[in-house]
Amino acid sequence: PVHMAGDDMPPEPDAEAAKADVAKGDALVLVVRRGQVEVHVKAVAGADGDVGEAIPVTLRPSGKVLRAVLLSPDRALEEGSAP
């Protein structure tokens, strides 16, 4: 980009760097653990988020909403499940 004398505008932030790991509406696999039992359920992200953050997720097809911590861009662990 061309900068003029006196142009003190900072460079525009990299759009890719600001993008969340998971976008609202993305498909996820929700992992729910209860003791020795582990269940994998299809879910949808209810908000944008980065790996390590807790977001609401909607179970498919029931529509029930739970909070889960993002493990990766396509997997989340229900809050309260043992790691």
Side-chain angles (χ1 to χ4, degrees), residues 23-82:
K24 181 177 180 178
D26 282 357
L28 299 170
V29 173
L30 178 66
V31 179
V32 179
R33 294 183 183 141
R34 295 288 187 269
Q36 297 293 320
V37 179
E38 180 174 291
V39 178
H40 296 214
V41 183
K42 291 182 182 179
V44 177
D48 292 352
D50 292 320
V51 171
E53 289 184 325
I55 63 167
V57 296
T58 303
L59 302 181
R60 295 190 311 205
S62 73
K64 183 174 180 177
V65 178
L66 301 172
R67 285 195 60 81
V69 176
L70 295 169
L71 301 175
S72 71
D74 62 353
R75 289 174 63 90
L77 179 66
E78 180 205 15
E79 282 193 335
S81 289

